[in-house]
Amino acid sequence: MLWIALQPASEPLAWLALQFSPRVARLEDAVVLEVEASLRLFGGARGLHRRLQAQAAEAGMELPAPRWASTSLAALALTRSGRSGHAVGERLTPMLDAMPLAALSAVQAQAPMLSRLGCRSLAEVRALPRTSLARRFGPAMLKALDQAYGEAPEAHQWLTLPDHFEARLELPFRVDQALALQHHAEGLLRSLCAWLAARHLGLRTCTLAWTHDAMRARDAGDGGALEITTAGTTREFRHLARLLGEHLQRLELAAPVSDLRLSAHAVEPLAPSAASLLVTSGDEREPLALTLERLSVRLGAQQVRVGQLCEDHRLEAMQQWHAWPQQITTKARPAQGPQPTWLIDPPQRLSTQQDQPLYRGPLQKLLGPQRVESGWWDGQVQQRDYYLFHSEQAGLLWIYAERLPEHEPGWFLQGVFA
């Protein structure tokens, strides 16, 4: 697993992170997201970092360079310490060992006593007898250390997006000038832009409403509202902020304002912009086939490829990719039963307990067996029993039991479901 920790934790930041992974959670004063399955989609760690920074800038947020680690607590510790580098694999233990007690909240809470015991780093804390640590400080500190070092599983409550956007902000003081609302309203706009980006939507109309302070004149009314309509679908924070400023400059408040509410009404899908690889002039457009042909010449025949579904029961043989152009004429029938989103190549052998597979803990069998006996015509013979298992840590898994006598028997993880 590969984790990123982003600070400081906020609702807009969490919504922004949901563009890059469905596994986003709040962890103390940070937002953490597990991105290992997303790296290929965004072109690796550097590509994901660039996209994250670009989306944050579009939503009006500035993000420091993220720290990467094999566990969420380790990523948070790296972020707090301000240290560069990635605590992944063999680098995790030495990097954590050198960190001060403040890197982990559970250890920092016991820092006065640990300092009197001569501990200045996490390595020195871990060097103390575990039994004595548990008796004196309780199990919470040891659990946090084990989770940070990847020796115990972590559990998170994943965040989800609301179906509709509506946010409220109580102002810290009474505001009686309309233009002075700009700064406070921009915080709501950042949340809106992050929500739109995570939903892949753009905005056409939103409403900024306000409530007048209780100490208002009788004829002032309860509050007011203004409707913001854009000429085109957008989610760019700077554009929306400028448009809001234009409205506020022409607004006169009937009474001081105590809170703001922002809601989105007309939203629609917004295709992400992409830089072109081709040099074109003006608004000239060409058919897709010609564009692919030119890309194939410029980038190489094997760099532009087309997929083909195949009639095969073996997971790794159900799809083939060919250099474009390729006439795909075979229409494969849909597979029977569930099919995993991602394949693991080669399949990962699993440990067992009482002849049942284990993966980050016990598994719950949901479906199976689905028997596959295929491949005799091309020498890639398979005899497997496939099962659908559920893992508390990893979700739905596609696991098979090997049945060929000449192969080593056992359980293997071959696919995961998004």
Side-chain angles (χ1 to χ4, degrees):
M1 303 181 78
L2 188 60
W3 291 86
I4 301 176
L6 304 174
Q7 286 183 311
S10 66
E11 190 172 64
L13 185 58
W15 289 350
L16 184 76
L18 283 168
Q19 296 181 73
F20 302 91
S21 172
R23 297 186 173 186
V24 177
R26 287 197 178 190
L27 180 61
E28 299 177 15
D29 58 341
V31 172
V32 295
L33 55 156
E34 201 282 308
V35 297
E36 185 171 2
S38 305
L39 291 183
R40 184 176 179 183
L41 175 63
F42 293 100
R46 291 184 178 178
L48 190 148
H49 177 207
R50 287 194 297 268
R51 287 287 298 274
L52 182 61
Q53 295 280 23
Q55 291 293 337
E58 186 178 3
M61 293 181 283
E62 294 184 4
L63 294 181
R67 269 66 175 186
W68 311 71
S70 303
T71 66
S72 60
L73 277 174
L76 178 57
L78 277 173
T79 303
R80 284 176 174 170
S81 63
R83 299 189 180 187
S84 60
H86 299 165
V88 180
E90 296 180 355
R91 301 183 62 185
L92 176 63
T93 298
M95 291 191 74
L96 283 179
D97 281 347
M99 290 188 185
L101 306 183
L104 293 178
S105 297
V107 180
Q108 171 64 17
Q110 310 296 338
M113 177 60 71
L114 291 171
S115 298
R116 288 195 290 271
L117 294 176
C119 296
R120 297 292 183 272
S121 66
L122 297 183
E124 293 172 338
V125 175
R126 297 183 77 215
L128 298 175
R130 290 179 61 91
T131 304
S132 300
L133 282 175
R135 185 169 55 251
R136 173 166 290 187
F137 301 109
M141 187 178 72
L142 281 178
K143 181 180 179 181
L145 283 169
D146 291 342
Q147 289 176 333
Y149 280 81
E151 297 172 356
E154 297 179 291
H156 297 286
Q157 184 176 359
W158 306 122
L159 301 177
T160 57
L161 281 170
D163 294 331
H164 305 282
F165 178 85
E166 185 170 352
R168 177 181 177 272
L169 175 65
E170 184 176 351
L171 302 182
F173 47 82
R174 291 161 36 120
V175 176
D176 53 10
Q177 296 294 326
L179 199 56
L181 296 175
Q182 175 88 18
H183 171 72
H184 305 287
E186 285 182 356
L188 299 177
L189 276 180
R190 290 187 179 90
S191 297
L192 173 59
C193 292
W195 180 84
L196 290 170
R199 287 283 185 185
H200 304 287
L201 297 173
L203 178 74
R204 294 301 299 267
T205 305
C206 65
T207 299
L208 179 69
W210 57 87
T211 302
H212 288 151
D213 187 76
M215 304 297 293
R216 62 181 181 270
R218 292 184 178 180
D219 58 349
D222 294 334
L226 62 86
E227 187 175 275
I228 303 172
T229 302
T230 62
T233 306
T234 183
R235 59 169 176 255
E236 185 182 358
F237 169 78
R238 291 179 179 85
H239 173 67
L240 293 173
R242 287 194 297 267
L243 191 58
L244 173 64
E246 293 291 337
H247 282 276
L248 292 177
Q249 284 182 359
R250 293 162 175 80
L251 177 68
E252 291 187 6
L253 297 175
V257 173
S258 60
D259 69 74
L260 296 174
R261 299 182 308 280
L262 183 65
S263 55
H265 303 301
V267 295
E268 55 191 46
L270 179 64
S273 59
S276 175
L277 293 174
L278 308 175
V279 178
T280 58
S281 59
D283 294 328
E284 295 179 0
R285 296 186 179 183
E286 61 183 6
L288 177 61
L290 294 180
T291 302
L292 293 177
E293 186 177 65
R294 295 175 64 190
L295 285 174
S296 180
V297 172
R298 294 192 177 195
L299 302 179
Q302 294 298 324
Q303 302 305 314
V304 181
R305 315 185 80 188
V306 59
Q308 178 184 11
L309 295 178
C310 303
E311 293 259 357
D312 204 305
H313 294 290
R314 297 167 296 179
L315 286 179
E316 57 270 27
M318 288 183 177
Q319 181 175 267
Q320 296 179 1
W321 288 88
H322 306 278
W324 192 93
Q326 176 79 21
Q327 295 296 327
I328 304 299
T329 57
T330 304
K331 293 184 178 180
R333 291 170 293 182
Q336 299 295 323
Q339 298 296 316
T341 309
W342 302 99
L343 293 184
I344 296 176
D345 185 25
Q348 178 182 345
R349 175 179 285 276
L350 302 178
S351 58
T352 61
Q353 184 178 15
Q354 297 180 351
D355 295 329
Q356 292 299 309
L358 299 175
Y359 184 74
R360 301 178 187 173
L363 301 175
Q364 178 185 3
K365 184 172 72 174
L366 302 180
L367 292 175
Q370 176 182 322
R371 181 157 295 182
V372 173
E373 296 185 359
S374 184
W376 51 267
W377 57 87
D378 60 5
Q380 304 295 324
V381 182
Q382 287 187 7
Q383 291 184 10
R384 298 172 177 174
D385 287 339
Y386 279 91
Y387 297 83
L388 181 65
F389 284 89
H390 178 261
S391 166
E392 292 291 339
Q393 301 297 323
L396 296 178
L397 306 175
W398 198 235
I399 296 174
Y400 70 84
E402 182 63 63
R403 297 180 55 248
L404 279 176
E406 61 269 22
H407 291 184
E408 186 177 357
W411 293 87
F412 295 83
L413 172 61
Q414 192 177 15
V416 296
F417 292 78

